[in-house]
Amino acid sequence: MGMLNDKVAFVTGAASGIGESTALRFAGEGAKLVIADVKEDELRRVGHAIKQAGGEALAVTCDVSDADSVKNALAEAAAKWSRLDVVYANAGVGGVWAPIEDLQPEEWDRTIGINLRGAFLTLHFAIPHLKQSGGSIIFTSSVSGNRTFAQSGAAAYSTSKGAEVALMKMAAIELARYGIRVNAVCPGAIPTNIGQSLQSRNTEKVSLPELPHGDQNPALHGGVGEPRDVADVCLFLASDLSRHVTGVEIYVDGGESLLR
């Protein structure tokens, strides 16, 4: 019997990386999946992979920065199986990394709009569905903006990720009375394609010394993890094993951020 049998999970940013790995992990533990992303072709590929492995999945196109898009996607998710148990607000972008004086207001707005507004909208529209029987909400935050601030030029990204943890903690207190748990995973160096959404400009002006990599880095696995490492933590937070865990950020970085 799977850890998520009979549960329905909604995952944003599910077309690749951590979102894809977590969706597959949830499906492997018996959850019915609603996977959401703006990348339709990749989303269909993930949905096909879930079904090929014997799982159930519904793919919905969703722009997490758009209120109507998020509202409609969650409504479709709840309508498909008449319930919703797990909501994983994972979608995000790297945005523009630049010195604060070089970072343009529209670049700031886009990063905050997708990462922080997207997390808020997913939370906001998920609550009415989860109130019916309780459940779990998980955010993908980051070590950046929470336990380390040494990434040159990452002001917008770090702010969005730090604010996600503050939002998570507020929601955890507010929603506990309904049996809804709210937590966050904070990955460190996890190779995904988020780098494709990241632009770097003039960061050498504010650069800081880097930690050694590979065998010289004293953190677990040299400080570099895999998407499945985050997916396993999300599985714990989605399952009944975390029934008394809420308002917590869990760092998934092999301890590397402790060295900064």
Side-chain angles (χ1 to χ4, degrees), residues 87-99:
V87 173
Y88 182 24
N90 166 72
V93 294
V96 175
W97 290 27

Side-chain angles (χ1 to χ4, degrees), residues 6 16 26 33 44 51 55 58-59 68 72 116 149 158 182 185 242 247 249:
D6 301 321
S16 62
F26 284 3
L33 265 294
R44 282 194 292 268
K51 292 173 184 177
L58 170 68
D68 286 341
N72 293 338
L116 182 56
F149 296 85
S158 292
V182 192
V185 289
S242 64
E249 67 271 38

Side-chain angles (χ1 to χ4, degrees), residues 235-253:
L235 175 60
F236 164 71
L237 293 174
S239 76
D240 292 339
L241 290 177
S242 64
R243 62 189 176 275
H244 199 55
V245 178
T246 195
V248 173
E249 67 271 38
I250 300 179
Y251 296 96
V252 191
D253 71 335

Side-chain angles (χ1 to χ4, degrees), residues 6-188:
D6 301 321
K7 294 186 184 295
V8 176
F10 177 84
V11 179
T12 68
S16 62
I18 291 171
E20 175 183 357
S21 184
T22 302
L24 291 166
R25 190 77 170 93
F26 284 3
E29 290 293 334
K32 298 176 176 66
L33 265 294
V34 180
I35 51 175
D37 207 299
V38 293
K39 302 173 183 175
E40 295 184 28
D41 291 341
E42 290 90 339
L43 197 60
R44 282 194 292 268
R45 175 186 57 78
V46 176
H48 180 71
I50 291 172
K51 292 173 184 177
Q52 283 290 98
E56 297 183 68
L58 170 68
V60 295
T61 304
C62 178
D63 175 358
V64 296
S65 67
D66 180 80
D68 286 341
S69 182
V70 178
K71 180 179 181 180
N72 293 338
L74 278 159
E76 191 172 349
K80 173 68 175 177
W81 285 290
S82 302
R83 62 180 297 154
L84 195 58
D85 303 283
V86 180
V87 173
Y88 182 24
N90 166 72
V93 294
V96 175
W97 290 27
I100 295 170
E101 64 180 326
D102 291 350
L103 187 67
Q104 297 303 302
E106 61 272 17
E107 296 169 338
W108 168 275
D109 289 346
R110 181 174 185 272
T111 301
I112 298 297
I114 294 174
N115 293 357
L116 182 56
R117 175 179 166 85
F120 163 73
L121 290 175
T122 304
L123 170 70
H124 174 75
F125 289 115
I127 291 170
H129 302 293
L130 291 171
K131 271 185 175 180
Q132 297 178 30
S133 57
S136 174
I137 299 172
I138 308 166
F139 291 166
T140 294
S141 180
S142 173
V143 296
S144 182
N146 290 293
R147 200 152 71 167
T148 180
F149 296 85
Q151 293 167 300
S152 304
Y157 180 80
S158 292
T159 298
S160 71
K161 293 302 178 180
E164 278 186 313
V165 167
L167 175 62
M168 174 272 290
K169 290 178 183 287
M170 291 296 296
I173 292 298
E174 187 173 317
L175 299 176
R177 69 197 71 185
Y178 304 112
I180 300 172
R181 310 186 311 280
V182 192
N183 296 285
V185 289
C186 298

Side-chain angles (χ1 to χ4, degrees), residues 186-203:
C186 298
I190 306 289
T192 69
N193 66 357
I194 195 171
Q196 296 175 11
S197 68
L198 189 155
Q199 302 174 49
S200 181
R201 184 175 68 242
N202 299 327
T203 55

